Amino acid sequence: MKRRDFIRFAAVAPVAAWCLPSLAAASRRLLILVELKGGNDGFNTVVPFADPAYARLRPRLALPRESLLEISETAGLHPSLEKLLPLWNDGGLAIVQGVGYPAPNLSHFRSIEIWDTASRSDEYLDEGWLTRFFAKRPSPPGYAADGVVVGSADLGPLAGTGARTIALANPEQFLRSARLAKSEAGASSNPSLAHILRVEHDILLSAERLKPGSDLGTSFPAGPFGAAIRTAVQLAANPEGVSVIRVTLNGFDTHANQLGTHAGLLRQLGEGLAALREGLLEVGRWNDALVATYAEFGRRPRENESRGTDHGTAAAHFVMGGPVKGGWYGAAPRLDSLDASGNPAFTVDFRSLYSTLLEGAWSVETRSLLGGQFDKLGFVQA
Amino acid sequence: MHHLIARLARIVFFAGASLAGSCLSAWAEPLGEADARHLLARTGFGATPAEVADFARLDRRVAVERILAGARTQATLAPPSFVEEPFFPYYKVRALSAQERMAYQRRNVEEGLQLREWWFREMLTTASPLTERMTLFWHGHFATSQQKVRSSLLVYRQNALLRSHALGNFGSLLRAVSKDPAMLVYLDSAGSRREAPNENFAREVMELFTLGEGHYAEKDIKEAARAFTGWSLDRDTGEFRYRPFFHDGGMKTIFGRSGRFDGDDVLALLLERPEAATFITRKLWKEFVSPNPDEREVQRLAAVFREARLEVTPLIRAILLADAFWSPSNRGTIVKSPVELVVGTLRTFEISPTTLRPAVAGAALLGQNVMSPPNVKGWPGGDAWINSATLLGRKQFLDRLFRGSDAMAAIPMQAMTAQGGATAEATPEARFRHMMERGMATYSFDWDRWARAFPGEAGRAARVQGVVLAIAPVDPSAALLDGPALVRALTADPAYQLK
């Protein structure tokens, strides 16, 4: 099949599916997760300028108050996040403070595993928290996949076998090459071969149903993160496409010379999220989208000798989207009582964040999925 | 009877292995093509039909010894010429104008590409693929990335260091790599001072380099970080320099032992822990044997490793002589890494292109950009190499490679390049794609030359399949084909992704 034919074929498939009566009501809310890989410095993202401990712990890294985007009497946003200010002022941006978990692990890999599997700190689970969700509640029939991971090889919360997950860099490229997947789902007693056959099968299935992105009026920031955001919007344009999209912004492991690097990262984040909002508005998905950031941990309040910060615990995260009720959630971590590693205690369990997202997006009971009952944060409007 | 005893004695002497009766014959018999292919694929990057035929005549022990005896400590090929130039100090970079800095960065990127190309060429042409496989293994283990190290010279020096210890002593390798400038920069040791020690290296040396999670406490990390203070760089030469003024000379307690430890003392404490040998052995099992370590065998092999005072060669020998290595149930169970797929395919099919840049870009697109691992943990490997994006990328790479010999295919390939250019060179991904697509037009597979190793048409498909695939194809209809179409079908089969 020539490429042109293939895309035409792919574009037609959802139309055919649309004729099925069961699908009219089968669209569901879209969850978009933005991973801040490496552990974002929450204290220089949502800055507690009024706390004297902040400047005391960070003689060289504290951001001057006059540079901040003040959003309360005690806190301001990093100046690079100015693109988020209009949304905050309109009441559409939720800031969840102090997100973390008990007995924190300061290893990147273990900590992101805890976040990705929604496990306890001393518990080892094999499947991502969204994989567990999709194993019980698959996406409606006709959906191209449960989740799409954009621009990253690791599947994070979608890892494991219970979900139909597609990883891709951009949809056109994906559809162009999907013709190379041939084999029908086969089984094998060789686990690696079985894995390959399963992936091949998922490719075939989703290629039939993924619409290649339309031309968008929104302008996206340059660079890999901007490209991933563009892809997320292209995928979101199809209301029966996918349930979850995960994008990643790399580079937050700022052990040395943090100020410049972090300013650049947050600029990418702010511009990326603003473009995501604009793109979702353009394709008509903003009103049913929930967008949330997450990371394996925050960074330590006290700066280190290399003008950077070491691995920390609790940090602030952003949530936005049509259904989101903006404002403050959780409480800022206390800088006057730090643990043995020099880190503050969390105030919001990350599973509360997940629980609120799951219930807000898909009205599901989360107790069994998350291994316990966690307080809802209330940032999703009923 | 006498003969049998002599044979038994030889097995005990050379293998120190189990005396499972079923294996007796396997030791002294010639390997045959399937075993030869297995050994070469697992210890190198693919294998040509001639290499397979050559090893097929040897018995296991001789074959393994030949592979180990060929190991090198230096590359065969001369490195790119920039490595002869002096180190360009970081403080001088900071003093450059914006324009000069751009030029400097461009040069660094170009040098990085030359470096990768040089290494790929070494992997492709070396007489000791095991040396390069182990260098690549240690690169993934002691991962550092050019993106953060920002000096292609330091990256080159580390590559040479890893090769020189690749099959040597693990303790010496750990000590050398811990003071290696690229590592000092990558894990922020260079600026760590006693007033506020940087914990990055102290954590990773325990978690990722020696013990694995769960075999140390946060306090051990904090104390070790103090001990490592003072390990720094000479800012002008880029070489290791100890700065006593930065060092914390106070008492530390690590693993319950106290002393005025310095960095070398901490490494010695780590190397003493029995978990270190087990941790490395388990990782090498996954590299050479199967994705699922047999814990009893891992313990046995780790004991061999400890007994050999952490010499790597005896451990590799023991792994390659283990029954599990040869077991049919472990054939074709490991997913090829992108470098193995790309270099191994070129090597197997005797494709020796003038430029390896498209191959470098290809492996990067598939998830393995050497000298630039995703993070300090290196590449996760195994099934994680395969997802919908990378599997399609792999198939695309192979499709182009084996269609390149087909004049008809040149047109759609160019058309795709033009379309790919539309989204601009905004991302590294797009740049690599462009580099790969443009360059691969020059790659061609010569079936007529390659197939001379398989004289006669009768049964040729089966013999070609035996060299190309580790296990039976998913789609057996390839056996009905011949010529380039046969190669296309075999390399397109899911089984080709496995080694």
Side-chain angles (χ1 to χ4, degrees):
Chain A
M1 202 188 300
K2 289 199 190 91
R3 173 192 170 263
R4 194 174 294 275
D5 295 340
F6 185 82
I7 288 188
R8 191 180 305 139
F9 167 74
V12 164
V15 178
W18 184 75
C19 301
L20 299 170
S22 66
L23 282 176
S27 180
R28 49 156 75 155
R29 273 185 176 168
L30 172 67
L31 177 60
I32 301 181
L33 294 172
V34 180
E35 183 188 15
L36 311 178
K37 199 156 189 83
N40 178 36
D41 183 5
F43 300 109
N44 270 17
T45 301
V46 179
V47 182
F49 63 78
D51 187 337
Y54 170 68
R56 182 164 45 76
L57 292 164
R58 300 190 156 192
R60 295 175 301 178
L61 288 191
L63 300 166
R65 178 171 177 179
E66 60 275 15
S67 74
L68 299 173
L69 311 166
E70 278 195 35
I71 52 173
S72 81
E73 283 168 8
T74 56
L77 289 178
H78 189 289
S80 289
L81 293 170
E82 60 184 345
K83 285 268 164 105
L84 295 181
L85 212 47
L87 185 61
W88 171 263
N89 291 333
D90 290 350
L93 180 69
I95 297 177
V96 186
Q97 298 192 94
V99 187
Y101 58 87
N105 190 301
L106 300 188
S107 149
H108 289 293
F109 316 105
R110 178 58 193 145
S111 196
I112 196 63
E113 198 171 275
I114 290 165
W115 274 81
D116 281 340
T117 60
S119 71
R120 289 192 317 267
S121 179
D122 60 352
E123 173 186 36
Y124 292 78
L125 300 178
D126 290 333
E127 310 225 286
W129 64 282
L130 287 170
T131 304
R132 291 203 301 276
F133 164 70
F134 288 119
K136 281 191 165 175
R137 296 270 303 262
S139 296
Y143 264 51
D146 291 319
V148 173
V149 171
V150 182
S152 163
D154 108 72
L155 305 183
L158 290 158
T161 53
R164 284 198 299 128
T165 302
I166 291 293
L168 50 75
N170 76 63
E172 295 101 331
Q173 178 66 40
F174 175 76
L175 289 172
R176 261 205 303 278
S177 52
R179 66 182 171 83
L180 294 169
K182 287 188 193 88
S183 67
E184 282 308 310
S188 171
S189 57
N190 172 339
S192 297
L193 184 58
H195 172 68
I196 293 168
L197 293 174
R198 199 162 45 233
V199 171
E200 200 146 333
H201 180 70
D202 284 351
I203 292 168
L204 286 172
L205 215 62
S206 52
E208 281 174 14
R209 295 168 181 179
L210 265 187
K211 248 193 250 178
S214 49
D215 287 333
L216 295 163
T218 303
S219 63
F220 295 92
F225 187 61
I229 292 290
R230 172 179 174 273
T231 296
V233 174
Q234 283 180 309
L235 293 166
N238 179 1
E240 282 117 30
V242 294
S243 299
V244 176
I245 300 169
R246 201 275 306 261
V247 295
T248 299
L249 178 53
N250 287 303
F252 283 93
D253 196 16
T254 48
H255 282 278
N257 302 315
Q258 177 178 299
L259 277 179
T261 312
H262 196 230
L265 287 165
L266 291 184
R267 182 161 304 280
Q268 289 187 61
L269 178 66
E271 290 178 354
L273 290 179
L276 179 58
R277 173 171 182 266
E278 199 184 320
L280 291 173
L281 281 167
E282 183 188 341
V283 301
R285 290 304 299 279
W286 175 254
N287 285 337
D288 65 350
L290 288 174
V291 181
T293 65
Y294 73 104
E296 63 266 48
F297 38 57
R299 315 220 41 108
R300 206 162 299 179
R302 184 186 293 282
E303 67 184 37
N304 67 23
E305 282 293 300
S306 329
R307 295 172 191 262
T309 51
D310 294 318
H311 300 182
T313 52
H317 285 288
F318 298 115
V319 187
M320 65 177 200
V324 170
K325 193 163 61 185
W328 294 98
Y329 297 88
R334 302 224 359 208
L335 296 181
D336 57 357
S337 59
L338 304 177
D339 68 14
S341 70
N343 278 305
F346 72 100
T347 61
V348 169
D349 193 295
F350 74 117
R351 287 161 293 186
S352 277
L353 180 66
Y354 287 174
S355 168
T356 316
L357 290 170
L358 281 171
E359 185 163 296
W362 304 307
S363 327
V364 285
E365 187 280 317
T366 58
R367 193 188 171 90
S368 59
L369 277 171
L370 300 176
Q373 196 66 53
F374 295 92
D375 296 340
K376 301 288 181 302
L377 292 164
F379 54 67
V380 183
Q381 282 162 350
Chain B
M1 188 63 194
H2 180 75
H3 180 69
L4 181 65
I5 289 169
R7 201 194 265 177
L8 268 173
R10 230 171 73 200
I11 292 158
V12 173
F13 179 76
F14 285 113
S18 71
L19 301 179
S22 63
C23 287
L24 278 185
S25 61
W27 291 102
E29 304 281 315
L31 290 179
E33 290 205 340
D35 281 10
R37 184 206 176 281
H38 175 65
L39 178 64
L40 291 166
R42 289 285 175 93
T43 57
F45 305 89
T48 66
E51 284 169 330
V52 172
D54 190 18
F55 270 77
R57 287 190 289 267
L58 310 178
D59 72 35
R60 280 185 188 175
R61 186 186 52 77
V62 173
V64 168
E65 287 308 327
R66 191 201 279 193
I67 283 175
L68 292 173
R72 303 173 55 90
T73 54
Q74 287 180 334
T76 1
L77 301 170
S81 59
F82 73 83
V83 310
E84 306 299 334
E85 289 162 27
F87 174 71
F88 192 80
Y90 293 111
Y91 68 90
K92 287 190 181 164
V93 179
R94 275 179 228 124
L96 295 176
S97 72
Q99 205 179 359
E100 289 168 328
R101 196 179 300 195
M102 282 256 284
Y104 169 81
Q105 276 160 357
R106 263 201 299 275
R107 202 180 72 207
N108 222 346
V109 169
E110 168 59 27
E111 288 173 352
L113 281 169
Q114 288 176 17
L115 203 53
R116 290 165 172 84
E117 225 182 316
W118 161 78
W119 193 10
F120 271 49
R121 177 79 62 194
E122 181 71 23
M123 295 179 201
L124 185 58
T125 57
T126 176
S128 174
L130 178 63
T131 304
E132 299 313 308
R133 274 289 300 279
M134 286 305 295
T135 307
L136 185 57
F137 173 82
W138 294 124
H139 173 44
H141 186 76
F142 295 113
T144 60
S145 161
Q146 192 187 359
Q147 256 117 34
K148 182 156 179 184
V149 176
R150 297 195 321 279
S151 158
S152 21
L153 180 61
L154 297 190
V155 170
Y156 164 73
R157 286 182 187 162
Q158 185 181 64
N159 181 266
L161 175 73
L162 296 176
R163 188 173 292 99
S164 71
H165 293 273
L167 284 138
N169 185 278
F170 176 71
S172 312
L173 172 61
L174 177 70
R175 282 188 287 269
V177 95
S178 301
K179 289 180 182 171
D180 176 64
M183 182 62 78
L184 293 170
V185 175
Y186 186 67
L187 290 184
D188 307 305
S189 303
S192 183
R193 300 172 185 211
R194 62 182 174 204
E195 295 84 2
N198 193 308
E199 290 171 15
N200 210 7
F201 177 74
R203 176 181 310 281
E204 309 308 7
V205 75
M206 295 191 197
E207 177 181 342
L208 300 174
F209 300 167
T210 58
L211 304 181
E213 246 244 311
H215 299 290
Y216 53 88
E218 280 296 311
K219 180 158 188 305
D220 297 322
I221 292 173
K222 284 192 154 327
E223 296 280 280
R226 293 174 54 215
F228 286 117
T229 51
W231 284 13
S232 189
L233 281 189
D234 183 301
R235 58 187 226 143
D236 287 304
T237 64
E239 276 162 19
F240 174 78
R241 195 173 132 192
Y242 176 62
R243 297 178 189 273
F245 185 71
F246 289 174
H247 179 65
D248 178 342
M251 292 292 286
K252 296 119 192 156
T253 303
I254 300 171
F255 305 134
R257 287 163 65 177
S258 301
R260 296 187 184 281
F261 298 134
D262 64 14
D264 284 313
D265 297 329
V266 176
L267 297 183
L269 286 172
L270 290 169
L271 289 164
E272 267 175 27
R273 310 288 285 181
E275 295 93 347
T278 316
F279 184 67
I280 299 298
T281 302
R282 192 177 294 116
K283 199 162 175 180
L284 282 167
W285 180 287
K286 290 184 185 174
E287 182 75 13
F288 288 109
V289 183
S290 83
N292 304 308
D294 171 338
E295 277 308 317
R296 276 183 57 185
E297 273 292 276
V298 167
Q299 294 304 336
R300 179 183 71 79
L301 292 163
V304 171
F305 193 28
R306 281 189 288 266
E307 196 108 319
R309 300 185 166 275
L310 305 185
E311 287 291 334
V312 174
T313 297
L315 172 60
I316 303 279
R317 176 183 290 113
I319 290 174
L320 298 182
L321 291 176
D323 287 341
F325 177 80
W326 299 96
S327 164
S329 63
N330 284 330
R331 302 286 167 105
T333 53
I334 306 181
V335 174
K336 291 172 184 169
S337 74
V339 171
E340 286 172 317
L341 183 81
V342 168
V343 177
T345 301
L346 297 179
R347 202 171 162 116
T348 300
F349 294 99
E350 298 173 87
I351 300 166
S352 189
T354 49
T355 168
L356 281 170
R357 217 164 266 217
V360 166
L365 281 171
L366 301 180
Q368 196 176 24
N369 184 11
V370 299
M371 275 95 176
S372 189
N375 56 51
V376 60
K377 203 175 185 176
W379 295 278
D383 287 359
W385 287 125
I386 303 278
N387 62 43
S388 57
T390 57
L391 183 60
L392 285 180
R394 285 167 175 242
K395 284 171 174 286
Q396 220 168 8
F397 178 85
L398 296 165
D399 185 59
R400 292 200 191 163
L401 190 60
F402 293 108
R403 257 171 227 286
S405 52
D406 220 334
M408 292 294 287
I411 300 149
M413 197 170 75
Q414 278 159 8
M416 287 180 91
T417 311
Q419 284 153 4
T423 48
E425 310 276 274
T427 64
E429 201 258 346
R431 277 198 299 276
F432 278 130
R433 188 170 293 286
H434 196 60
M435 197 187 287
M436 181 185 92
E437 284 169 352
R438 224 174 15 195
M440 274 188 66
T442 65
Y443 283 27
S444 69
F445 166 59
D446 184 345
W447 161 264
D448 293 326
R449 189 165 60 87
W450 187 75
R452 271 183 226 144
F454 306 95
E457 284 181 24
R460 181 155 71 191
R463 280 179 294 149
V464 169
Q465 181 181 308
V467 167
V468 174
L469 298 182
I471 47 170
V474 172
D475 179 358
S477 66
L480 305 172
L481 302 168
D482 196 23
L486 169 63
V487 168
R488 279 206 293 275
L490 293 175
T491 53
D493 195 277
Y496 188 69
Q497 305 301 331
L498 300 164
K499 62 177 178 185

